[in-house]
Every structure is written in structure tokens, then in C-alpha cells.
Amino acid sequence: GNSVTQMEGPVTLSEEAFLTINCTYTATGYPSLFWYVQYPGEGLQLLLKATKADDKGSNKGFEATYRKETTSFHLEKGSVQVSDSAVYFCARTGSGGGADGLTFGKGTHLIIQP
Amino acid sequence: EAGVAQSPRYKIIEKRQSVAFWCNPISGHATLYWYQQILGQGPKLLIQFQNNGVVDDSQLPKDRFSAERLKGVDSTLKIQPAKLEDSAVYLCASSLYSGGGLSTDTQYFGPGTRLTVL
């Protein structure tokens, strides 16, 4: 079946450090890929998405590129801030199209220290 | 634009009791989803509606969980009877998608209902 695997947390970085959170997905069908973020005390928010191979999603300085050859969608940011501290979820749609329910990874808790 | 609304925000019940959660999606959104998020895990899809019809309920424990979406707008999710392992956050999400082929409409999530079963 469909699944998403992302790196375990927590990930602790200093402010202005480079961030990478790894995400890989099972290679079934032609899913759309997403990163959602959950700030403390808030609901899930879409951070970025990519709908086909080689697409790059970007938002708020974060980027992720849909790599079909490695079935990956790693999240990167060049210089993190304390306000980026949150839980990040990688997700994919099913094989049937973008309206399918999402399959999420377990989440990565990111902690940025000043 | 108002977001996805859910109520209650918190609920504490004893095992074997029943509980219901309510969701009001973003206006005009045809597709509605219920997810269960157990502490330390990612959300898991329970059921998906398109308008007032069920599209996918393959992961819904139908012996105790039920859901409906009357008139294709609001939805309720019910658990009867509740078990300890049902303690989780129940998330409702909606998207514009109304059928007719591949789509990548974004799912917008509500704040969730945190259920504790004692």
C-alpha cells in the first residue's frame, strides 16, 4: 500500500542553520506530495506541495523537489528561525488522484534554539 | 474566508460511552475528510465524503465508528462504544474537489477535537 517515511525527531538546530528533513514515499501510482506544518497549539497547515515529478514546491523559505527516481520529497531551508519550531509532516495522495485522502508520515519535531 | 470549524475542541469520556464530533467545512468545498491522529503519529484517514456520498471508508472501524454528511455540508463522526485506544485528536479537512478526474486540490484542516477516553 501507500506509505510515507520521514526522519525521526526531534531535530534540534541553532538559528540560521541549514535544515533538511528527509521524506520518502512508496512508488505506487502518480501521487501529489505535500509538507504540512503544525505549530504549537495550532492546526495542520499546508506548507508546500508538488504535483508531478521534478516540480519544486516552495513557501516561507522552505523548498522541496519531487524526485521520482529516488521517491523522495526532502524539505530544506537555508536559514532557520526560532519561529520555524514546529512539527512537520510529509504526506502523499493515493494512486487514484489528488482528491484521495492523504497518507502521512509520523512527523518530525523541529526545535530551533536561539 | 472562514476555515474548517470543529466542535467540541476537547472531550473526556469513560470507556464504553458514546461521543460525537461535528465539522463544518469551508463554504463550497465538496469533499470532506475525517482523520484520526494518535499522539506521536501522523493523521490517518478514517472516511472521505464527496458531497453527501462516501468515497472511501476502508479504514473506518465500522463496528464502533459511524459518520454522516447530510445535505453535503456539515458532518458528524460518532464513536459508540468508545475504547481506550480511541484517545486521539480527530481532524476534519475539506477540499474543493467535486469529481471528474485527477485533481490536486489542497486539503484544509480544522483545529481538531482532542478525545480522551478513561
Side-chain angles (χ1 to χ4, degrees):
Chain A
N2 299 326
S3 67
V4 173
T5 303
Q6 60 183 105
M7 60 192 294
E8 299 284 327
V11 173
T12 304
L13 296 172
S14 297
E15 204 165 20
E16 299 183 3
F18 183 86
L19 169 71
T20 300
I21 300 178
N22 291 336
C23 171
T24 57
Y25 63 94
T26 49
T28 51
Y30 302 92
S32 295
L33 303 173
F34 304 80
W35 278 101
Y36 278 82
V37 58
Q38 191 167 37
Y39 297 105
E42 298 185 17
L44 277 169
Q45 303 175 24
L46 178 68
L47 181 59
L48 53 84
K49 70 179 185 181
T51 60
K52 61 184 186 297
D54 300 324
D55 268 2
K56 177 185 284 188
S58 61
N59 186 25
K60 299 182 181 179
F62 289 89
E63 294 183 340
T65 300
Y66 190 142
R67 302 285 189 199
K68 189 176 180 182
E69 64 276 13
T70 55
T71 62
S72 65
F73 192 56
H74 304 324
L75 183 68
E76 296 182 336
K77 186 174 185 182
S79 176
V80 293
Q81 305 300 313
V82 172
S83 57
D84 294 326
S85 297
V87 181
Y88 292 80
F89 293 92
C90 185
R92 61 161 286 167
T93 58
S95 303
D100 290 351
L102 296 172
T103 298
F104 286 85
K106 291 186 176 182
T108 302
H109 187 192
L110 175 65
I111 301 169
I112 307 300
Q113 296 178 332
Chain B
E1 179 182 83
V4 177
Q6 291 188 248
S7 68
R9 293 293 309 275
Y10 305 91
K11 190 73 176 179
I12 300 174
I13 62 173
E14 302 279 338
K15 60 182 179 183
R16 291 188 290 274
Q17 286 187 322
S18 63
V19 64
F21 313 126
W22 173 82
C23 173
N24 179 241
I26 293 173
S27 178
H29 279 197
T31 303
L32 185 147
Y33 311 81
W34 283 101
Y35 291 85
Q36 179 192 58
Q37 185 177 15
I38 293 173
L39 186 65
Q41 299 183 20
K44 182 184 84 171
L45 179 71
L46 292 176
I47 189 167
Q48 175 185 346
F49 293 93
Q50 185 175 304
N51 296 308
N52 60 351
V54 175
V55 174
D56 181 1
D57 63 358
S58 58
Q59 299 190 86
L60 186 73
K62 298 181 186 64
D63 58 334
R64 298 183 300 105
F65 286 65
S66 65
E68 60 181 7
R69 190 182 185 198
L70 299 177
K71 300 181 181 178
V73 182
D74 293 1
S75 178
T76 55
L77 176 69
K78 297 179 181 177
I79 308 175
Q80 181 179 12
K83 293 184 175 180
L84 296 177
E85 58 261 36
D86 298 333
S87 294
V89 176
Y90 290 85
L91 297 167
C92 180
S94 69
S95 74
L96 270 172
Y97 181 75
S98 58
L102 294 179
S103 166
T104 54
D105 287 331
T106 297
Q107 294 183 28
Y108 296 89
F109 284 81
T113 297
R114 182 177 297 277
L115 173 67
T116 302
V117 182
L118 302 176

